[in-house]
Amino acid sequence: MPAMQNVIDFIDTHRRRFVDELVAWVRIPSVSSDPAHAQDVRRSAEHLATELRGLGAGRVEIWPTAGHPAVFGEWRQAHGKPTLLVYGHHDVQPVDPLGEWISPPFEPAQREGRLWGRGVVDDKGQVHIHAKAIESFVKTVGKLPINLKLIVEGEEEIGSVNLDALLHDHAADLASDFVCVSDTAMFGRGLPSLCVGLRGLSYVELFVEGPSLDLHSGSFGGAVMNPVNALAKMIASLHDEGGRVAVAGFYDDVVALGDAERKQIASLPFDEQSWLRSTGAPATWGEEGYSTLERTWARPTLDCCGIGGGFQGEGAKTIIPARASAKISCRLVPNQEPNDIARKLTEHLRRVAPPGVRVRIETLHGARPYLAPTDHPVYGVAQRAFSKAFGKPTVFIREGGSIPFVRTIADATGKPCLLMGFGQPDENAHAPNEWLDLDNYLLGIKSAAYLYDEIATMAP
Ligand code: BES
Ligand code: MN
Ligand code: MN
């Protein structure tokens, strides 16, 4: 029997055990944003390292950072073959609102062919896909057909704040011919997808301060500026009537969508009505002149993610609040730069702030956007690999989300980056009731196995 068939048969035979092992990892609440879970993030790293050590790796290490640790593993027995660097993250998003989970987030449950729990798709399941593809080669063929390095970060969900230092300190360990990031989604059910673009991110927090304490609105109202009114006016100034961002210079560095890509995007089987239904929103909205997919993949945006200030309790309380604040994020496209956008946004907010309030703006984390060099042969090779696993042609897509690692590694090494993903757009990543389609998990393991096998045919 040819070697690849043995690998695929091994995956089918051990499917249930693979899921059980994923469940054990998902039980560890590796919430990176919450200091109370720091020990759990560490346990999650150790758990993965132990699993990888069982897979004949030459080296498995836990790499500490100033924050949460990363896990590194390498398999280098394919002399003369290319080296693939695979990236994922083992930290997860917070679980609140906890009351909306049908089954507890860290007690993974299997229902309807799905695995439910925090981190099942973002991103433990998608890291585990590679661990199990590696195992399937090691336990059948005896070794991998390529050299493989795996880096699994513990701080992706909090903006990968210590990643630059980590990549710098371990530049030699991470040297590779190709990079593969395993943290995106498929275009739709059963449709293998290769993601070729991600948006970036620039995030600021805006504080508006007025009186030193909440004032009686009868005695003081109308005679001092109300910070909540001021904040609302400032936020309202951020878009024009056509849905464009009204910050001066915001679009200066945006690379326009080409006709060829617009055609390709329009050719994808996108059902806008069912997409809209899945959001629950009453209508689509966005920048005039662009389709929904273009708006979410290839156009920059600005959104207020949270707002606070003033009286939030039951009933009426007559005050002029002392302060108000908002969290504002921009999704970026090539060639926008997070720091430049944060600066332009800051200038805009200062300019439109009405008199009578103090304004303070803090820049939170950012990420740079990515567009893959799809004329490189590795993209065709990856398409072929996924198509073999799924028995269907693989489509090129972009995604609107951000992964800081992608541009950092691409810029540092100049190597092409594959964005492979087996999530579904409706799997509730970051939301209550996150789930993973277990058929996709299985097909993901097979796709990873075919990917390694196909990359082995390439020159290093
Ligand atoms: N896996 C996501 C990125 C993603 C989202 C890919 C949607 C494809 C579709 C990643 O874990 C994530 O959530 N990233 C953050 C960015 C980070 C800087 C906090 C995001 O996009 O908000
Ligand atoms: Mn992720
Ligand atoms: Mn995420």
Side-chain angles (χ1 to χ4, degrees):
M1 201 168 7
M4 254 335 264
Q5 196 52 52
N6 285 337
V7 174
I8 298 300
D9 289 349
F10 185 91
I11 295 169
D12 282 321
T13 307
H14 294 272
R15 155 180 198 157
R16 296 189 57 170
R17 172 175 60 82
F18 290 173
V19 175
D20 290 343
E21 289 173 3
L22 173 58
V23 163
W25 192 22
V26 172
R27 284 182 185 283
I28 302 173
S30 49
V31 181
S32 51
S33 62
D34 183 352
H37 282 294
Q39 276 312 315
D40 294 319
V41 183
R42 162 151 288 284
R43 274 207 297 138
S44 159
E46 279 160 3
H47 182 101
L48 176 63
T50 303
E51 185 165 344
L52 296 180
R53 283 197 184 101
L55 303 182
R59 213 173 124 201
V60 175
E61 291 174 358
I62 293 185
W63 287 350
T65 70
H68 301 296
V71 180
F72 175 78
E74 69 177 9
W75 293 258
R76 296 176 65 175
Q77 294 164 298
H79 305 293
K81 294 292 187 182
T83 299
L84 177 68
L85 172 65
V86 175
Y87 165 91
H89 60 93
H90 67 93
D91 63 321
V92 302
Q93 284 275 325
V95 297
D96 46 292
L98 186 59
E100 289 183 24
W101 287 77
I102 295 163
S103 52
F106 299 112
E107 293 168 32
Q110 290 181 49
R111 300 187 295 272
E112 309 145 25
R114 302 168 172 190
L115 182 65
W116 302 78
R118 173 56 89 225
V120 288
V121 63
D122 188 10
D123 181 35
K124 283 173 173 161
Q126 306 220 57
V127 171
H128 209 245
I129 277 170
H130 288 275
K132 296 300 102 176
I134 293 166
E135 174 181 332
S136 303
F137 274 103
V138 170
K139 296 207 175 144
T140 55
V141 183
K143 62 178 186 135
L144 290 176
I146 53 170
N147 301 299
L148 195 144
K149 297 174 174 184
L150 183 62
I151 168 104
V152 184
E153 193 196 349
E155 300 194 302
E156 197 276 344
E157 298 292 8
I158 49 172
S160 301
V161 275
N162 296 298
L163 185 71
D164 282 4
L166 193 71
L167 298 192
H168 180 265
D169 293 349
H170 293 282
D173 296 321
L174 296 170
S176 70
D177 301 296
F178 309 110
V179 181
C180 171
V181 167
S182 194
D183 189 24
T184 51
M186 306 200 296
F187 189 70
R189 189 138 286 111
L191 200 64
S193 313
L194 183 58
C195 179
V196 300
L198 288 175
R199 289 196 291 187
L201 185 68
S202 184
Y203 206 127
V204 306
E205 186 157 9
L206 164 62
F207 302 89
V208 177
E209 290 156 3
S212 55
L213 74 174
D214 292 355
L215 301 172
H216 192 296
S217 67
S219 313
F220 296 92
V224 291
M225 175 55 77
N226 176 326
V228 173
N229 294 5
L231 179 71
K233 191 171 169 187
M234 292 167 74
I235 291 173
S237 77
L238 291 169
H239 289 94
D240 70 14
E241 288 304 309
R244 276 172 69 89
V245 177
V247 173
F250 187 80
Y251 293 93
D252 283 359
D253 299 313
V254 170
V255 177
L257 262 171
D259 285 341
E261 196 183 3
R262 291 194 90 164
K263 267 207 190 107
Q264 191 263 328
I265 291 175
S267 76
L268 292 168
F270 182 60
D271 179 347
E272 183 156 281
Q273 280 316 309
S274 81
W275 175 88
L276 183 61
R277 260 196 311 280
S278 78
T279 69
T284 64
W285 173 88
E287 186 185 359
E288 265 170 23
Y290 294 92
S291 70
T292 292
L293 286 180
E294 290 170 345
R295 286 169 178 169
T296 53
W297 290 356
R299 295 297 296 170
T301 54
L302 182 150
D303 279 287
C304 189
C305 301
I307 187 165
F311 179 63
Q312 309 276 329
E314 237 4 80
K317 184 176 187 231
T318 44
I319 56 160
I320 306 296
R323 63 190 71 86
S325 66
K327 294 177 190 279
I328 301 171
S329 87
C330 300
R331 291 287 170 175
L332 313 181
V333 302
N335 295 317
Q336 291 176 302
E337 286 289 334
N339 288 338
D340 179 63
I341 293 298
R343 186 180 53 76
K344 286 170 173 162
L345 176 56
T346 299
E347 275 166 21
H348 174 101
L349 292 169
R350 290 202 183 288
R351 189 173 55 74
V352 300
V357 289
R358 282 178 295 271
V359 168
R360 193 157 51 81
I361 297 154
E362 281 176 21
T363 300
L364 305 180
H365 56 229
R368 301 170 75 204
Y370 183 69
L371 201 50
T374 48
D375 46 356
H376 190 289
V378 77
Y379 293 91
V381 163
Q383 268 184 314
R384 200 160 67 223
F386 302 167
S387 300
K388 275 189 185 170
F390 281 80
K392 274 189 207 155
T394 299
V395 293
F396 276 172
I397 61 169
R398 290 208 214 180
E399 294 264 27
S402 313
I403 305 173
F405 174 82
V406 178
R407 263 297 281 288
T408 308
I409 196 81
D411 288 359
T413 64
K415 304 297 181 185
C417 188
L418 298 165
L419 301 164
M420 77 188 261
F422 300 97
Q424 293 288 318
D426 57 348
E427 282 181 338
N428 301 331
H430 295 203
N433 303 310
E434 181 176 345
W435 56 276
L436 172 67
D437 181 311
L438 288 172
D439 287 334
N440 285 341
Y441 168 74
L442 190 77
L443 289 166
I445 300 171
K446 293 180 181 175
S447 298
Y450 280 120
L451 180 69
Y452 307 163
D453 187 55
E454 289 280 343
I455 287 183
T457 66
M458 299 183 77

